[in-house]
Amino acid sequence: RDVERSRGLGDVYKRQSGKSFIPLLISSGCGIPGIMASRTIEQDNDRRLTIMTATFIPCGAKLPVIALMGGVIAGEAAGYAESSFIAPLMYFIGIAAVLISAIILKKTKMFSGKPAPFVMELPNYRMPGAKNVVHLLWDKAKDFLQRAFTVIFIAVIAIWFLQNFDTGFNMISDSQNSILAKIAGMLAPIFVPVGFGDWRIVTALVSGFMAKESVVSTLTVLFGSTAALQGSLTLTGAASLLVFCLLYTPCAAAIASVKRELGGKWAIAVAVGQCVIAWLAAFVIYQIGMLF
């Protein structure tokens, strides 16, 4: 009887653990608490896999980018496309990216193995004491300030310096002469095959590593208006840029959280891997759009 029972449970172990759902759901608000919520997953492989895919879900910081590019796409479509469907579509694309990347990673030796069964344990619920809540909040805030904030602070200073100084380390008034613009100019040819090889767009993408909201502000400063941005992009190029912004490397705070949870090598793997996936997805969309 015990043997038959163990055989019956075999199918349970073949299924993916359902504990990844909560971190992915939380990541729709912000990837940092979503990454931290993966601590509830006991098995290391499932936990690493959840952390590496959680930031594909569009967070609140990406909504301004979706709104801006949605307006550009709607304007380029000349009336036959509406921006109202773009935000839900981006969430579906993010979910698809999570599923596809998880399936591919599960096929590798690094993430092979049977996932833990989904067992929900419900503890006894009690009203927490104010002292315990304050103590817990202080511990979490101190942990964040000691580990994640240092990376964010360094990234902010680096982006500010690159945006405001030229190669001679002189303060500039025109961002076109900044070190960041020079770096973006060198990276721009990489994005020509995906439809947005303009150095100003690449500059916004680089600044987006600090915070995804800065993509919109940087584009506004460099182009001056949405009309100018719209004039530099085709409909297919705007769609390709939107998908790239959706999927490429998360912000510095999220990368710092990955480093804290998994280590520096995994954080680099997440940053580089998501950039590659975003480029491939944007390339496919741009090439398909060019056929029509």
Side-chain angles (χ1 to χ4, degrees):
R1 184 178 301 175
D2 292 337
V3 173
E4 292 178 356
R5 183 178 300 173
S6 63
R7 289 176 179 174
L9 291 174
D11 294 333
V12 177
Y13 285 91
K14 293 179 181 179
R15 295 196 296 267
Q16 178 67 27
S17 173
K19 294 183 179 180
S20 299
F21 175 77
I22 297 300
L24 293 176
L25 180 63
I26 295 175
S27 296
S28 63
C30 180
I32 299 172
I35 292 170
M36 297 178 66
S38 63
R39 296 176 180 177
T40 58
I41 303 174
E42 291 86 359
Q43 192 173 22
D44 291 337
N45 285 344
D46 290 345
R47 180 168 171 267
R48 282 195 291 264
L49 189 62
T50 302
I51 291 175
M52 295 185 70
T53 58
T55 49
F56 280 126
I57 302 295
C59 62
K62 295 178 182 179
L63 291 180
V65 182
I66 295 174
L68 174 64
M69 297 311 302
V72 172
I73 293 173
E76 287 286 347
Y80 61 80
E82 297 180 359
S83 59
S84 58
F85 77 95
I86 294 177
L89 180 61
M90 291 302 103
Y91 279 92
F92 283 117
I93 292 176
I95 294 171
V98 171
L99 295 177
I100 294 172
S101 59
I103 291 172
I104 294 174
L105 290 174
K106 288 291 286 186
K107 299 296 183 181
T108 63
K109 294 181 180 180
M110 194 176 301
F111 294 93
S112 61
K114 296 179 179 180
F118 177 58
V119 179
M120 181 177 291
E121 299 178 0
L122 297 178
N124 295 326
Y125 290 99
R126 298 182 178 90
M127 182 65 67
K131 182 179 179 180
N132 294 333
V133 172
V134 172
H135 181 72
L136 181 61
L137 290 174
W138 168 247
D139 286 341
K140 298 299 181 182
K142 183 173 67 174
D143 183 56
F144 175 81
L145 292 174
Q146 290 176 344
R147 298 186 181 184
F149 182 73
T150 54
V151 177
I152 300 171
F153 183 69
I154 294 173
V156 170
I157 293 178
I159 294 295
W160 175 84
F161 178 81
L162 294 175
Q163 282 182 325
N164 292 277
F165 287 86
D166 59 12
T167 54
F169 302 108
N170 300 312
M171 182 74 75
I172 59 172
S173 57
D174 187 358
S175 58
Q176 183 175 354
N177 301 320
S178 66
I179 300 175
L180 185 60
K182 301 295 183 183
I183 296 174
M186 292 186 291
L187 295 176
I190 301 176
F191 298 96
V192 172
V194 296
F196 48 92
D198 193 306
W199 70 269
R200 294 170 292 183
I201 297 177
V202 180
T203 301
L205 295 177
V206 175
S207 66
F209 176 71
M210 180 183 67
K212 288 296 178 284
E213 300 94 331
S214 64
V215 173
V216 175
S217 59
T218 305
L219 287 174
T220 303
V221 170
L222 295 179
F223 280 94
S225 64
T226 304
L229 174 61
Q230 182 176 326
S232 67
L233 288 171
T234 62
L235 175 61
T236 307
S240 174
L241 175 59
L242 178 56
V243 172
F244 186 88
C245 291
L246 175 72
L247 300 179
Y248 87 113
T249 180
C251 63
I255 292 296
S257 298
V258 175
K259 180 179 180 296
R260 180 179 57 185
E261 297 295 329
L262 301 179
K265 293 182 179 179
W266 289 99
I268 295 173
V270 169
V272 175
Q274 291 199 6
C275 283
V276 173
I277 292 173
W279 191 94
L280 292 174
F283 178 79
V284 170
I285 289 176
Y286 183 72
Q287 296 302 321
I288 292 176
M290 293 298 291
L291 297 175
F292 298 96

